[in-house]
Amino acid sequence: MKPFEVTESPIDPQKYADYVLHTGAGAVTLFTGHVREWTHGVRTVYLAYEAYVPMAEKKLAQIGEEMEAKWPGIRTAIAHRIGELHLSDIAVVIAVSSPHRKAAYEANEYAIERIKELVPIWKKEIWEDGQEWQGAQKKYPDKGADAQ
Amino acid sequence: MKPFEVTESPIDPQKYADYVLHTGAGAVTLFTGHVREWTHGVRTVYLAYEAYVPMAEKKLAQIGEEMEAKWPGIRTAIAHRIGELHLSDIAVVIAVSSPHRKAAYEANEYAIERIKELVPIWKKEIWEDGQEWQGAQKKYPDKGADAQ
Amino acid sequence: MIRVNYFARLRELAGKGQETVDREEMTVQELLDWAEDTYPGFGKDDVQVAVNEEYALPGDLIRSGDECAFIPPVSGG
Amino acid sequence: MIRVNYFARLRELAGKGQETVDREEMTVQELLDWAEDTYPGFGKDDVQVAVNEEYALPGDLIRSGDECAFIPPVSGG
């Protein structure tokens, strides 16, 4: 298992939680992002995710390094699925372990915000009557105030 | 499965994540609290948890109601294990689903804070050379500023 | 008769998990005073009382048949 | 020769996932200008360029053999 990976296979979140757990960890936070049926009143039939895979995996690992620098003592694993995803499928999983709970929550939320800013992955929403690529980030997300 | 339970059995966190997932959920946060080896420089051999079980389950359900009132649209499940727990064993699991991620993080963290304030569960730390019951809450946690 | 439950440190101090107090009614504060008298070192100022599985205030009345519990500082999670 | 990759909306617009640009060197801005000229509607102001899997600035130089990618607004998660 790679701790920072883009995969075409269904995601088993427990695998990532197990990866970050160790005897120094008192808290593990596991975030999973799922395909939701309704967005802004429009019904999603399915989503299609696409990635620039080698760069996306590098950027996930970079986010992990940022996290471990900001919250010393945590361990992190992140995976993002690509391809066709249907209702309730997991698109992304973020696992963080920490000696204490506060860092586990904060670092986990930081990870999903950073993923949405800088990891080259794209989502197309497919509705009953149309489809559209999503995305509207800052032009230079990597150089923003949050970047380390 | 009871969504708010105190149990003597090992906790399978995925069961609680599955319980809260539904097609309206875009985010699931799963928190697990684990037995940690070192606390304040002292090595833990094991922990013994004890609960006033019927009241503890009521209080867990009350916390769930508080959460669903504060963050409409979320779904919650919480379990706490009692008995002898060893290194890395899960003591508590909190699962929250939400249409959007922010509420899933916030509500989950709220839950663990409230558990530590008001749920009648006690932890005894057993070290190589001694043991002690833990706990130092406010006298009336249920009536505090956070209570709804 | 009022039933009382002990947990954690208080269970070890009392040497029992539960017992009954032979009273028709008393306040929460009177129950705490009784416990302090009966079990030296009880530490009533740091102990809450639950009546019928709900936290009670010092002036609340306990009646025969109620189920009480002494709740020392909790430490779940 | 510079290799360029297209993703998402840009892949559909270009009708291909990758191609080569026959230049020895050019800046990131020149590559974006070339893309806008070649594919009307490219929308270069909202597109970043990665050079060898790292985000690059408009003035950065791209050399023959580099692997580039056009990165439209991302939407992972």
Side-chain angles (χ1 to χ4, degrees), chain B residues 33 49-55 58-59 62 80 91-92 112 115-124 131 133-143, chain C residues 5-12 28-29 32 44-58 67-77:
Chain B
Y49 280 96
E50 178 173 326
Y52 183 18
V53 174
M55 182 172 167
K58 268 191 183 174
K59 289 288 154 190
Q62 175 194 316
H80 203 299
V92 59
I112 186 66
I115 288 168
K116 288 172 176 284
E117 280 174 4
L118 67 86
V119 179
I121 299 177
W122 299 271
K123 172 172 68 179
K124 187 190 233 178
Q131 51 181 50
W133 287 103
Q134 307 297 305
Q137 99 276 51
K138 307 188 291 287
K139 180 145 189 195
Y140 295 105
D142 216 7
K143 318 294 187 207
Chain C
N5 292 276
Y6 300 91
F7 297 99
R9 181 182 68 81
L10 302 179
R11 181 179 48 71
E12 295 181 351
V28 163
Q29 186 61 54
L32 283 165
K44 65 183 178 184
D45 292 345
D46 291 321
V47 174
Q48 294 188 74
V49 170
V51 179
N52 300 324
E53 302 173 5
E54 191 52 71
Y55 288 106
L57 293 169
E67 174 100 11
C68 296
F70 293 110
I71 313 281
V74 303
S75 49

Side-chain angles (χ1 to χ4, degrees), chain A residues 49-52 54-55 58-59 80 92 116-124 133-137 139-142, chain D residues 7-9 11-12 32 44-45 47-48 50 52-58 67 69 71-77:
Chain A
Y49 281 95
E50 180 174 324
Y52 181 21
M55 181 172 168
K58 268 193 182 172
K59 288 289 153 191
H80 202 299
V92 59
K116 288 173 176 283
E117 282 174 3
L118 67 84
V119 180
I121 299 176
W122 299 272
K123 171 171 68 176
K124 186 190 233 178
W133 287 102
Q134 306 296 306
Q137 99 278 50
K139 181 146 189 193
Y140 293 105
D142 216 7
Chain D
F7 297 98
R9 181 183 69 78
R11 182 179 48 71
E12 294 181 352
L32 283 165
K44 65 183 179 184
D45 291 344
V47 174
Q48 294 189 75
N52 300 326
E53 302 173 6
E54 192 51 73
Y55 288 107
L57 292 170
E67 173 100 11
I71 313 282
V74 302
S75 50

Side-chain angles (χ1 to χ4, degrees), chain B residues 1-4 16 19-21 60-61 63-68 71 73-78 93-97 107-108 111:
Chain B
M1 197 204 95
K2 288 192 292 186
F4 301 99
Y16 300 89
Y19 178 86
V20 300
L21 184 62
L60 293 177
I63 292 169
E65 286 163 19
E66 290 174 7
M67 292 161 69
E68 289 171 21
W71 292 278
I74 68 167
R75 289 193 196 173
T76 304
I78 308 175
V93 60
I94 302 164
V96 178
S97 75
N108 199 305

